[in-house]
PDB file of all heavy atoms in Angstrom:
ATOM      1  N   ARG A 214       7.851 -13.675 -23.282  1.00 98.00           N
ATOM      2  CA  ARG A 214       8.547 -13.330 -22.038  1.00 98.00           C
ATOM      3  C   ARG A 214       8.162 -11.940 -21.563  1.00 98.00           C
ATOM      4  O   ARG A 214       7.878 -11.048 -22.374  1.00 98.00           O
ATOM      5  CB  ARG A 214      10.057 -13.373 -22.259  1.00 98.00           C
ATOM      6  CG  ARG A 214      10.608 -14.780 -22.252  1.00 98.00           C
ATOM      7  CD  ARG A 214      12.078 -14.730 -21.959  1.00 98.00           C
ATOM      8  NE  ARG A 214      12.636 -16.076 -21.858  1.00 98.00           N
ATOM      9  CZ  ARG A 214      13.851 -16.320 -21.414  1.00 98.00           C
ATOM     10  NH1 ARG A 214      14.644 -15.328 -21.048  1.00 98.00           N
ATOM     11  NH2 ARG A 214      14.294 -17.558 -21.336  1.00 98.00           N
ATOM     12  N   GLY A 215       8.161 -11.758 -20.252  1.00 98.00           N
ATOM     13  CA  GLY A 215       7.884 -10.447 -19.694  1.00 98.00           C
ATOM     14  C   GLY A 215       8.432 -10.368 -18.283  1.00 98.00           C
ATOM     15  O   GLY A 215       9.127 -11.288 -17.833  1.00 98.00           O
ATOM     16  N   ARG A 216       8.135  -9.285 -17.603  1.00 98.00           N
ATOM     17  CA  ARG A 216       8.621  -9.129 -16.220  1.00 98.00           C
ATOM     18  C   ARG A 216       7.460  -9.100 -15.244  1.00 98.00           C
ATOM     19  O   ARG A 216       6.382  -8.600 -15.558  1.00 98.00           O
ATOM     20  CB  ARG A 216       9.460  -7.863 -16.103  1.00 98.00           C
ATOM     21  CG  ARG A 216      10.890  -8.140 -16.571  1.00 98.00           C
ATOM     22  CD  ARG A 216      11.610  -6.913 -16.974  1.00 98.00           C
ATOM     23  NE  ARG A 216      11.596  -5.893 -15.935  1.00 98.00           N
ATOM     24  CZ  ARG A 216      12.602  -5.039 -15.738  1.00 98.00           C
ATOM     25  NH1 ARG A 216      13.687  -5.112 -16.483  1.00 98.00           N
ATOM     26  NH2 ARG A 216      12.509  -4.105 -14.827  1.00 98.00           N
ATOM     27  N   LEU A 217       7.718  -9.635 -14.070  1.00 98.00           N
ATOM     28  CA  LEU A 217       6.670  -9.705 -13.050  1.00 98.00           C
ATOM     29  C   LEU A 217       6.451  -8.309 -12.463  1.00 98.00           C
ATOM     30  O   LEU A 217       7.336  -7.750 -11.819  1.00 98.00           O
ATOM     31  CB  LEU A 217       7.086 -10.708 -11.969  1.00 98.00           C
ATOM     32  CG  LEU A 217       6.014 -11.094 -10.946  1.00 98.00           C
ATOM     33  CD1 LEU A 217       4.780 -11.675 -11.621  1.00 98.00           C
ATOM     34  CD2 LEU A 217       6.581 -12.103  -9.940  1.00 98.00           C
ATOM     35  N   TYR A 218       5.277  -7.751 -12.723  1.00 97.00           N
ATOM     36  CA  TYR A 218       4.966  -6.385 -12.273  1.00 97.00           C
ATOM     37  C   TYR A 218       4.481  -6.409 -10.830  1.00 97.00           C
ATOM     38  O   TYR A 218       4.822  -5.547 -10.028  1.00 97.00           O
ATOM     39  CB  TYR A 218       3.891  -5.800 -13.198  1.00 97.00           C
ATOM     40  CG  TYR A 218       3.699  -4.321 -13.049  1.00 97.00           C
ATOM     41  CD1 TYR A 218       4.571  -3.421 -13.656  1.00 97.00           C
ATOM     42  CD2 TYR A 218       2.633  -3.811 -12.312  1.00 97.00           C
ATOM     43  CE1 TYR A 218       4.393  -2.058 -13.528  1.00 97.00           C
ATOM     44  CE2 TYR A 218       2.445  -2.450 -12.178  1.00 97.00           C
ATOM     45  CZ  TYR A 218       3.329  -1.579 -12.784  1.00 97.00           C
ATOM     46  OH  TYR A 218       3.150  -0.227 -12.649  1.00 97.00           O
ATOM     47  N   SER A 219       3.668  -7.417 -10.504  1.00 97.00           N
ATOM     48  CA  SER A 219       3.257  -7.656  -9.115  1.00 97.00           C
ATOM     49  C   SER A 219       2.662  -9.054  -9.039  1.00 97.00           C
ATOM     50  O   SER A 219       2.336  -9.651 -10.060  1.00 97.00           O
ATOM     51  CB  SER A 219       2.249  -6.608  -8.641  1.00 97.00           C
ATOM     52  OG  SER A 219       2.078  -6.714  -7.239  1.00 97.00           O
ATOM     53  N   TRP A 238       0.547  -9.800 -12.376  1.00 96.00           N
ATOM     54  CA  TRP A 238       0.531  -8.960 -13.571  1.00 96.00           C
ATOM     55  C   TRP A 238       1.898  -9.071 -14.234  1.00 96.00           C
ATOM     56  O   TRP A 238       2.939  -8.916 -13.560  1.00 96.00           O
ATOM     57  CB  TRP A 238       0.250  -7.495 -13.183  1.00 96.00           C
ATOM     58  CG  TRP A 238      -1.199  -7.238 -12.900  1.00 96.00           C
ATOM     59  CD1 TRP A 238      -2.275  -7.816 -13.517  1.00 96.00           C
ATOM     60  CD2 TRP A 238      -1.750  -6.314 -11.943  1.00 96.00           C
ATOM     61  NE1 TRP A 238      -3.457  -7.315 -13.005  1.00 96.00           N
ATOM     62  CE2 TRP A 238      -3.168  -6.402 -12.052  1.00 96.00           C
ATOM     63  CE3 TRP A 238      -1.192  -5.438 -11.025  1.00 96.00           C
ATOM     64  CZ2 TRP A 238      -4.023  -5.632 -11.259  1.00 96.00           C
ATOM     65  CZ3 TRP A 238      -2.046  -4.666 -10.234  1.00 96.00           C
ATOM     66  CH2 TRP A 238      -3.444  -4.763 -10.352  1.00 96.00           C
ATOM     67  N   ILE A 239       1.895  -9.361 -15.534  1.00 97.00           N
ATOM     68  CA  ILE A 239       3.126  -9.515 -16.297  1.00 97.00           C
ATOM     69  C   ILE A 239       3.236  -8.338 -17.257  1.00 97.00           C
ATOM     70  O   ILE A 239       2.327  -8.094 -18.057  1.00 97.00           O
ATOM     71  CB  ILE A 239       3.122 -10.831 -17.123  1.00 97.00           C
ATOM     72  CG1 ILE A 239       2.704 -12.025 -16.256  1.00 97.00           C
ATOM     73  CG2 ILE A 239       4.476 -11.044 -17.791  1.00 97.00           C
ATOM     74  CD1 ILE A 239       3.664 -12.378 -15.157  1.00 97.00           C
ATOM     75  N   GLU A 240       4.376  -7.649 -17.186  1.00 96.00           N
ATOM     76  CA  GLU A 240       4.612  -6.513 -18.075  1.00 96.00           C
ATOM     77  C   GLU A 240       5.366  -7.019 -19.298  1.00 96.00           C
ATOM     78  O   GLU A 240       6.491  -7.504 -19.178  1.00 96.00           O
ATOM     79  CB  GLU A 240       5.433  -5.451 -17.333  1.00 96.00           C
ATOM     80  CG  GLU A 240       5.525  -4.141 -18.051  1.00 96.00           C
ATOM     81  CD  GLU A 240       6.252  -3.079 -17.215  1.00 96.00           C
ATOM     82  OE1 GLU A 240       7.033  -3.461 -16.315  1.00 96.00           O
ATOM     83  OE2 GLU A 240       6.041  -1.894 -17.468  1.00 96.00           O
ATOM     84  N   LEU A 241       4.732  -6.920 -20.472  1.00 97.00           N
ATOM     85  CA  LEU A 241       5.361  -7.403 -21.704  1.00 97.00           C
ATOM     86  C   LEU A 241       6.169  -6.276 -22.356  1.00 97.00           C
ATOM     87  O   LEU A 241       5.870  -5.096 -22.154  1.00 97.00           O
ATOM     88  CB  LEU A 241       4.283  -7.908 -22.676  1.00 97.00           C
ATOM     89  CG  LEU A 241       3.415  -9.066 -22.170  1.00 97.00           C
ATOM     90  CD1 LEU A 241       2.405  -9.469 -23.253  1.00 97.00           C
ATOM     91  CD2 LEU A 241       4.264 -10.257 -21.749  1.00 97.00           C
ATOM     92  N   PRO A 242       7.160  -6.646 -23.157  1.00 96.00           N
ATOM     93  CA  PRO A 242       7.976  -5.613 -23.826  1.00 96.00           C
ATOM     94  C   PRO A 242       7.131  -4.688 -24.711  1.00 96.00           C
ATOM     95  O   PRO A 242       7.528  -3.561 -24.986  1.00 96.00           O
ATOM     96  CB  PRO A 242       8.943  -6.437 -24.693  1.00 96.00           C
ATOM     97  CG  PRO A 242       8.961  -7.801 -24.098  1.00 96.00           C
ATOM     98  CD  PRO A 242       7.630  -8.007 -23.457  1.00 96.00           C
ATOM     99  N   GLY A 262       9.724  -7.738 -10.656  1.00 97.00           N
ATOM    100  CA  GLY A 262      10.784  -7.428 -11.618  1.00 97.00           C
ATOM    101  C   GLY A 262      11.467  -8.638 -12.239  1.00 97.00           C
ATOM    102  O   GLY A 262      12.205  -8.491 -13.220  1.00 97.00           O
ATOM    103  N   ILE A 263      11.220  -9.851 -11.706  1.00 97.00           N
ATOM    104  CA  ILE A 263      11.923 -11.012 -12.272  1.00 97.00           C
ATOM    105  C   ILE A 263      11.353 -11.371 -13.655  1.00 97.00           C
ATOM    106  O   ILE A 263      10.219 -11.049 -13.982  1.00 97.00           O
ATOM    107  CB  ILE A 263      11.877 -12.263 -11.340  1.00 97.00           C
ATOM    108  CG1 ILE A 263      10.442 -12.761 -11.145  1.00 97.00           C
ATOM    109  CG2 ILE A 263      12.563 -11.981 -10.016  1.00 97.00           C
ATOM    110  CD1 ILE A 263      10.366 -14.124 -10.468  1.00 97.00           C
ATOM    111  N   ASP A 264      12.195 -12.058 -14.459  1.00 98.00           N
ATOM    112  CA  ASP A 264      11.778 -12.474 -15.805  1.00 98.00           C
ATOM    113  C   ASP A 264      10.831 -13.658 -15.731  1.00 98.00           C
ATOM    114  O   ASP A 264      11.066 -14.602 -14.976  1.00 98.00           O
ATOM    115  CB  ASP A 264      13.011 -12.844 -16.649  1.00 98.00           C
ATOM    116  CG  ASP A 264      13.840 -11.620 -16.980  1.00 98.00           C
ATOM    117  OD1 ASP A 264      13.233 -10.545 -17.184  1.00 98.00           O
ATOM    118  OD2 ASP A 264      15.084 -11.716 -17.014  1.00 98.00           O
ATOM    119  N   MET A 265       9.780 -13.606 -16.538  1.00 98.00           N
ATOM    120  CA  MET A 265       8.758 -14.662 -16.543  1.00 98.00           C
ATOM    121  C   MET A 265       8.536 -15.120 -17.979  1.00 98.00           C
ATOM    122  O   MET A 265       8.721 -14.352 -18.925  1.00 98.00           O
ATOM    123  CB  MET A 265       7.430 -14.115 -15.982  1.00 98.00           C
ATOM    124  CG  MET A 265       7.502 -13.510 -14.587  1.00 98.00           C
ATOM    125  SD  MET A 265       7.745 -14.715 -13.276  1.00 98.00           S
ATOM    126  CE  MET A 265       6.097 -15.421 -13.125  1.00 98.00           C
TER     127      MET A 265
END
Side-chain angles (χ1 to χ4, degrees):
Chain A
R214 282 201 176 190
R216 277 158 54 147
L217 190 58
Y218 193 80
S219 191
W238 282 325
I239 312 294
E240 191 175 23
L241 300 181
I263 64 169
D264 291 325
M265 304 289 283

